[in-house]
Amino acid sequence: MKLLLVTLRKRPGSDQVSRREQLLDDDKIRVGRGVSMDIHLSDLNVDFHHATLLENDGRLILRSTAPDGLEINHVYRDEVDLSEGKKVSIGRYSFRAEAGRDGADFVVTLEETAAVQQTAHSQAKRQIEDVLPSRRVLSWVASLAVLVLFVAWPMAEVLQRDVPPDEPYVMDGMVRADVMPASPMEIAWTSGDISMAHSVLAHDCAACHQRPFERTTNNACLACHATVEEHLDLDQHARIGETVPRCASCHREHKGAEEPTQAACLTCHSNIRAISPDSKFADITDFAKDHPNFRLPLMTGTFVDEKALLPEVQQVRVEPIGAVHAPMTEVAGLKFPHEKHLVGGGKRKGSASLQCSNCHVVEAGGARMRPIEMERDCAHCHKLSFNAGGVERTLPHAQEDAVAQILQDYFLSAALMNTGVGGASEVDRQQVIDTALQQASAQTDAIFGTWMCGTCHEAQRVPDDSGQARWRVLPVLSGRPWLMAGRFEHVPHEAMDCTGCHAATGSSEASDVLMPGIAVCQDCHRGEAEAASARSACVSCHNLHVTGKEPMSPAHARIFHAMGAKKQRAVKRQADKK
Amino acid sequence: MHIHTSFLANRFWLWTGIGISLLSVAAYAYHAPPHGRDGSTMVGYVLGGFSGLIVLYLAWLGVRKRRFATSRGNRRDVVSAHVFLGLSLIVTATLHTGFEFALSIHTLTYVLLLLVIGSGIFGVSVYAGLPETMSRNLNEMIVEKKNFDWSALEQLEWDLRELDRRLGRALQFLPDSVREPVQGAIENTRIGGGLFRILSGSSRGCATDAAIKRLRGLVDGGGFSDAERTRLGEVMRDLARKRQICACLRRDTRYRALLKVWLWLHVPLTSALIVALISHVVLVFFYW
């Protein structure tokens, strides 16, 4: 078989086609990748020996010896008759047969399509730009995300809100009728956690931030806190300025703290005379450093006559400053040795030595001790019984005239019963009565003066309007607040020993003042600078808004009280209807 | 000091940065307002305003130093200012926060700033160290330069093409049993690809490596003529060389990516930071 092989090869990068003719003469013409093949196809996808050309009954057959076979119009065959003029592909080569010429039995045109660059390493993405989105696009996305999420979205809602006018108004029952919950992302405008007291407003920014670019107004605060009292008399603080100070200048609501910090107080109080030249307060920087000792309202004065029974009260500073237990006395109006009750013979029947808490109990509310009541706290031991004629009678407490009358009645009736009222003469009877009255008077004097009332009380004979002398027990001055400007609560101190602060075990007189000096407090309250300290900020003991001072804003207070009156009228109207 | 790191040697901006930081710390320490140190005190406003201006100035510098044609002055000084002023922002902005953080636009602004600075620090560190490593990496791989004008990278690319050509030619003398691995090495060896491949520089799953392993098995199995065995020896050497070059180019690709990848954080986050910064200032006074 003679075969004329025409090879057409397209040059890469041009339209030119090179043509080469070659005459092959063999029975079988081998086609493949191998260099030893008769027709050498330089393509890795072609097998070493891919196919064989052979003649069969005058027809030119291309028979595949490779598993990939021969491709005709995307169909793979093992054997193809080329004489039919079909175009057969092997790899990037194609074969087409034509009728023989120039002495050849067949002419086969072998067409080679240009090799595509097969190597992958130069095609893979190697630049980071190729695998990441453009920085410009990312910048826009990030910027717009921040703008939309944190500004545009919440702002769209915020700007639509109705705002109250900037004038005094008072919330009815502290309910915001027009409450507009914050947009979810508005919360992200916060400059810090809101204080515990206002946590209910944490998602209601507009309650305080009412108008754009305006500092929170006092009107917003006073809408709820209408009656809050002033901290100071503005008249005496001319240098602070004409207007009411901003609430927010002391109350920093986004600092997470519960109350104004000590530093806020010290702004003025570390040099109080700078704004109030006549202030009676001492300059202070810290409780532990320069807080003055307590000034106690001590009773002075004498109890000479009935008019002087109300004693004078004098503020006396515990001296010397820093004294642990104040060596002070006052007029007590009572004879009560703490020492005797706590340490010595004072014993309840059938019980151990008395404890402080047997008599002193914190009153409801937890601040002060409830006042001592004789019937409840003393009478268990100190019975007011008066035994006469084998019958025990209990005298009433705190009723001097009644006690005198009971004694008189007793002695008179006893005398009359003994003498027999009908039998005695007028003179005898008068004598019996006089004797009885004398006995009664002596007994009354004894009871008031020495052994019953007199055990604990100081009593005096005071003439009444008709000139008759009557026994009067001097008032007992217990159960009054000792600290006039500060707050002290017993409950938080419950775990402590009472006598750690109050030197009761060494006191033999009721007139001993058992209030501790400031140094006792400073043992635990070591100042704000000290980390290991009990709370010692100013507001731990002192109220910022002073009870009894003028309201912060008279206008708000007026509206509030007017509202109260209106409410009361409304309630009354409803009750009347029913 | 290498040419790449000379921007760190600028004493003026170094001391300016240190000076700003020290001044900020001193002001912060000195000023003790009653409600504590935060962004709303006098010093806080100054620190915040100053930080904001620096951010805007640095963003502008960042834009300017990419415009080679119009940039005036020494570009190295501009980079130096960018680096040292940027670092001093860590101090001024942190003091401006007063160490008060919340889930808010304000803290977001601060976090964005830190991310921008952090990515910038990464950028500086790669600029300082990588170029030297890169040229060493490529140069160590060069056997012979075919063309004086070519860079090391171009030479290695040429080497790879030449190796592929040689491998393809060798297959014309080798039976079909060895074709698949070698063809795979020629056609499927990748450098780069996805983000992970680029950034890791990993050669895991390299087709050339797989081909070497498979060929070694085939050769050990025997069944080749002496001539084929000789050819296979050459193929193995070529494949080993290709594997070596590919690993080198993967490292190179990784280094090139590292030199730039931080910009994908630095630039978009700067953009977001500027928006957040302006929002922060406006919103602080919106809800004063």
Side-chain angles (χ1 to χ4, degrees), chain A residues 33-36 40-50 66 68 117-129 131-136 138-140 142-144 146-147 150-151 155 158-159 161 186-193 205-206 209-216 246 248-252 254-255 260-264 267, chain B residues 33-38 40 45 66 100-106 108 112 153 157 160-161 164 167-169 171-179 182-183 186-195 198-199 228 242 246 249-250 252-253 256-258 260-261 263-265 267-273 275-276 279 281-288:
Chain A
R33 182 184 81 237
V35 280
S36 53
H40 168 64
L41 305 180
S42 168
D43 181 348
L44 293 184
N45 290 316
V46 177
D47 278 20
F48 195 87
H49 176 195
H50 200 104
D68 281 358
Q117 183 64 34
Q118 293 287 347
T119 46
H121 73 262
S122 55
Q123 288 179 322
K125 289 171 174 172
R126 283 162 72 170
Q127 300 286 330
I128 191 106
E129 287 93 332
V131 294
L132 285 175
S134 121
R135 294 201 295 266
R136 189 178 296 264
L138 283 179
S139 299
W140 277 106
S143 307
L144 285 176
V146 170
L147 191 66
F150 288 94
V151 184
M155 192 64 87
V158 169
L159 291 180
R161 283 187 193 136
E186 190 183 352
I187 309 303
W189 293 2
T190 184
S191 66
D193 289 343
C205 310
H209 301 281
Q210 294 176 335
R211 278 163 294 276
F213 301 107
E214 181 192 70
R215 304 178 117 189
T216 48
R246 282 186 70 230
S249 57
C250 296
H251 298 279
R252 295 300 185 99
H254 283 285
K255 292 290 237 178
T261 59
Q262 174 159 306
T267 313
Chain B
H35 292 287
R37 303 173 165 98
D38 62 21
S40 65
Y45 282 138
R66 310 218 148 249
E100 288 179 356
F101 304 106
L103 290 174
S104 67
I105 174 83
H106 317 294
L108 173 76
L112 284 175
L153 185 61
E157 295 280 358
L160 272 190
R161 281 196 301 277
D164 283 346
L167 288 169
R169 218 169 72 80
L171 273 189
Q172 295 177 359
F173 299 91
L174 289 170
D176 289 336
S177 58
V178 299
R179 178 180 58 168
V182 177
Q183 188 180 3
I186 295 171
E187 294 181 354
N188 296 329
T189 303
R190 278 172 218 286
I191 293 164
L195 180 64
I198 292 176
L199 283 182
E228 284 171 342
K242 178 167 180 178
C246 284
L249 290 184
R250 288 193 188 104
D252 185 63
T253 303
R256 276 168 209 283
L258 286 180
K260 285 188 222 157
V261 70
L263 284 170
W264 267 262
L265 274 185
V267 173
L269 287 185
T270 299
S271 173
L273 167 63
V275 173
S279 309
V281 174
V282 170
L283 290 178
V284 157
F285 294 107
F286 187 86
Y287 273 180
W288 203 352

Side-chain angles (χ1 to χ4, degrees), chain A residues 142-395:
Chain A
S143 307
L144 285 176
V146 170
L147 191 66
V148 169
L149 213 55
F150 288 94
V151 184
W153 178 19
M155 192 64 87
E157 292 189 27
V158 169
L159 291 180
Q160 285 177 25
R161 283 187 193 136
D162 296 329
V163 292
D166 189 14
E167 60 190 34
Y169 71 100
V170 170
M171 211 77 83
D172 192 357
M174 279 169 60
V175 175
R176 263 161 64 70
D178 58 339
V179 69
M180 293 194 65
S183 143
M185 290 309 289
E186 190 183 352
I187 309 303
W189 293 2
T190 184
S191 66
D193 289 343
I194 197 160
S195 64
M196 189 70 90
H198 285 132
S199 53
V200 69
L201 298 176
H203 289 182
D204 186 7
C205 310
C208 308
H209 301 281
Q210 294 176 335
R211 278 163 294 276
F213 301 107
E214 181 192 70
R215 304 178 117 189
T216 48
T217 58
N218 285 5
N219 281 337
C221 306
L222 293 165
C224 296
H225 305 279
T227 56
V228 73
E229 288 110 336
E230 259 295 5
H231 175 62
L232 41 76
D233 294 322
L234 278 177
D235 308 339
Q236 295 171 10
H237 294 75
R239 295 189 199 167
I240 212 170
E242 296 264 316
T243 51
V244 182
R246 282 186 70 230
C247 304
S249 57
C250 296
H251 298 279
R252 295 300 185 99
E253 291 305 307
H254 283 285
K255 292 290 237 178
E258 294 303 300
E259 51 207 13
T261 59
Q262 174 159 306
C265 309
L266 298 188
T267 313
C268 297
H269 278 277
S270 61
N271 184 13
I272 190 67
R273 262 157 286 277
I275 55 162
S276 177
D278 304 326
S279 174
K280 59 185 192 298
F281 294 121
D283 288 341
I284 181 164
T285 55
D286 192 75
F287 178 71
K289 265 189 227 151
D290 43 15
H291 191 288
N293 215 325
F294 307 130
R295 290 197 310 162
L296 307 176
L298 297 189
M299 299 292 178
T300 59
T302 46
F303 297 83
V304 282
D305 56 29
E306 200 175 13
K307 296 232 167 64
L309 283 181
L310 286 178
E312 281 173 50
V313 178
Q314 218 177 17
Q315 294 260 341
V316 181
R317 198 178 294 288
V318 180
E319 294 289 354
I321 290 181
V324 172
H325 294 110
M328 302 170 86
T329 53
E330 64 164 358
V331 174
L334 190 72
K335 299 173 199 160
F336 182 82
H338 274 96
E339 185 184 27
K340 201 167 181 184
H341 285 79
L342 289 171
V343 187
K347 283 198 179 175
R348 284 187 140 173
K349 274 171 197 153
S351 71
S353 257
L354 286 176
Q355 304 291 315
C356 303
S357 57
N358 290 135
C359 305
H360 296 288
V361 175
V362 176
E363 72 181 4
R368 283 159 54 192
M369 288 293 173
R370 81 182 172 199
I372 298 293
E373 271 177 27
M374 191 274 172
E375 289 83 353
R376 184 188 56 213
D377 300 316
C378 313
H380 192 72
C381 302
H382 297 273
K383 295 193 186 309
L384 298 185
S385 53
F386 153 68
N387 194 335
V391 180
E392 193 160 278
R393 291 152 204 260
T394 298
L395 295 174

